Every structure is written in C-alpha cells, then in structure tokens.
Amino acid sequence: MEKAETIFGTRAVIEAIKAGREIEKIYIQSGLNNDLIKELINTAATHKAPYSFIPQVKLDRLSNKNHQGVVCVLSAVQYVPLENIIDKCYSEGREPFFLIVDRVTDVRNFGALARTAECAQVDAMIIADKGNAPITGDAMKTSAGALNHLPVCRVKDMKKTFQLLKDNGIQIIACTEKATNTIYQIDLNTPVAIILGSEEDGISPQMLKDADHLAKIPLMGSIESLNVSVAAGIVVYEKIRQRDYK
C-alpha cells in the first residue's frame, strides 16, 4: 500500500469521522461485531465514509500498531459535492467539463490524470467511492500538486450521478476502443463528462451502456490500447481544440 496518513483504533477512527476528517477508506477486521464496531459502522454510514471488511493478515500489513481491528486511511484532498461544481460552472457562464475516472488503481496513473485535468482546466474529476487508487500523499506527489487545485467529486451511486449530469445538460462520452466513431468525429464542444476506464479492462459495461456516446482514439500500431493517462491527454485536449481552436 502507498504511504499514507493513517489512524488506528476503533474509538480514534470514530472521533476522526465526527471531527470532519476526510476519510479515504476505513478497513475493519473481518468477523468483528462488538458494540464499538457497530458504533463505528453506524458513524461511517451516517457521514458517508467508505469502509470494508478485510482479513486480519491484510490489516496487519496496513499497520503494525495495536490497531484493535480498525485502520483508517485519511484522504489528501477535501471532496466536493458534484452539484456544487455544476451550479458554479453555470452561474459563471461556463459549460461544465468533467473527467470521470473508472477504477484506475495505479496511483501514478491517477496522479497523471489529475495533472492533465488541472492543466486543461477540467472543472472536476468524478470518482466512485470504491475501486480507484486512494488519494493519498503519493497521489498528490505524482499529480505534481495538481490535486491541490483540482476539485474531486466522490460519489456513491454512479448511475444516479450519470442521471444528474444528463439532467443538467451534460453529455457523457465514454473513451473506449469498443467505439465505432473516433473522438474527432464526436462533437465535444458542449457541456461534457469524459469517461476513462481502468488499466486492466477499460470502462465498466454499465457505464458504457449509460453513456451518451462512445468514442475511440485511433490506433495505428500493433498495441491495442494506450496508457490511460496518455489517453486522457489526447481526448481532453481534443475537447479544448474543438472549443477554442475551431
């Protein structure tokens, strides 16, 4: 696991949640079900802090302290509600421009994506509350500090998030080799959210189904795909080209 700021112990984690600390993930030892653990789970659910159960051997790898079956990784960023960013864009007379990151687990790729997005003045990155690389100090470092300036919206239900985007006039473009049209054939000069998928298997089937359009980056060589951070640079700047360099 990447170096990250962690706290451990059930009561300490409960108090950190109540104090408003931004939680990246809470790891709870499988099989624990005492009253304090139940209080932790209720507190995490109330404050929408993500948690999961893992075996003790994995928990011990996260911390060699007396963790009492609970280790909490703190986020290096403060997450922002997506609704706030959408409202801000339209109130300032700008068309929203988002990057949806689907299950990118390599912290270096995630940081590079954030760096590209910030340089292109993407309004925010949207991620699910599980499945992506943790936004820790290492992610901040590999983003060259971009995550200090780029809003990140962490959402629990991506399907509802897609509907929110569509209800606000934002079309969703999935960047995938499964597409027929290229990114150069799709009109990106609109309010848009561009999806980029995982290093292993690309964009999840449900997201492909729910997207408004699929678009691919044309590849001429023998390799079947680009690195996700490289793909991000190409498609994000095609959006800018269509908008600013007609």
Side-chain angles (χ1 to χ4, degrees), residues 9-234:
T10 312
R11 178 55 63 188
V13 174
I14 290 172
E15 294 306 322
I17 298 170
K18 290 181 177 179
R21 298 294 298 273
E22 195 70 73
I23 307 299
E24 185 65 31
K25 191 67 173 285
I26 302 166
Y27 297 95
I28 304 170
Q29 183 178 318
S30 300
L32 292 183
N33 194 34
N34 57 51
D35 289 343
L36 201 54
I37 290 295
K38 290 177 181 177
E39 182 182 347
L40 169 61
I41 293 170
N42 288 335
T43 304
T46 299
H47 291 80
K48 299 181 179 179
Y51 64 90
S52 65
F53 293 90
I54 63 173
Q56 181 179 349
V57 63
K58 290 188 177 181
L59 203 64
D60 291 341
R61 292 184 196 139
L62 299 181
S63 174
N64 57 9
K65 308 290 186 181
N66 181 22
H67 51 66
Q68 301 173 321
V70 177
V71 175
C72 174
V73 179
L74 300 175
S75 176
V77 300
Q78 190 77 26
Y79 294 108
V80 182
L82 177 57
E83 296 91 335
N84 293 6
I85 303 294
I86 294 173
D87 291 346
K88 182 174 185 289
C89 290
Y90 282 129
S91 67
E92 293 176 354
R94 295 183 293 104
E95 293 184 339
F97 181 16
F98 297 116
L99 196 62
I100 301 173
V101 180
D102 178 30
R103 299 170 299 131
V104 172
T105 56
D106 187 296
V107 69
R108 293 163 297 182
N109 280 336
F110 191 92
L113 281 166
R115 186 174 183 175
T116 296
E118 200 285 326
C119 287
Q121 289 191 314
V122 169
D123 290 299
M125 288 176 65
I126 302 171
I127 62 173
D129 66 351
K130 57 184 178 181
N132 288 292
I135 305 182
T136 60
D138 279 353
M140 184 68 72
K141 181 179 179 180
T142 56
S143 77
L147 285 165
N148 286 312
H149 308 284
L150 174 70
V152 180
C153 306
R154 184 171 66 181
V155 300
K156 188 173 183 62
D157 189 325
M158 195 61 76
K159 195 170 185 67
K160 289 183 179 178
T161 298
F162 274 34
Q163 192 59 54
L164 173 67
L165 292 168
K166 293 179 181 185
D167 288 346
N168 281 275
I170 302 165
Q171 69 169 341
I172 301 169
I173 310 295
C175 187
T176 171
E177 74 282 357
K178 297 179 175 67
T180 300
N181 292 325
T182 72
I183 59 170
Y184 309 114
Q185 296 170 301
I186 298 290
D187 181 12
L188 300 176
N189 192 23
T190 65
V192 69
I194 297 169
I195 314 172
L196 289 159
S198 75
E199 303 93 331
E200 298 298 324
D201 55 3
I203 298 169
S204 62
Q206 188 62 54
M207 285 195 185
L208 289 175
K209 180 180 177 182
D210 292 341
D212 295 304
H213 301 285
L214 308 184
K216 65 183 178 182
I217 298 171
L219 301 177
M220 287 74 167
S222 301
I223 302 299
E224 295 182 353
S225 65
L226 292 165
N227 173 275
V228 65
S229 63
V230 173
I234 294 170

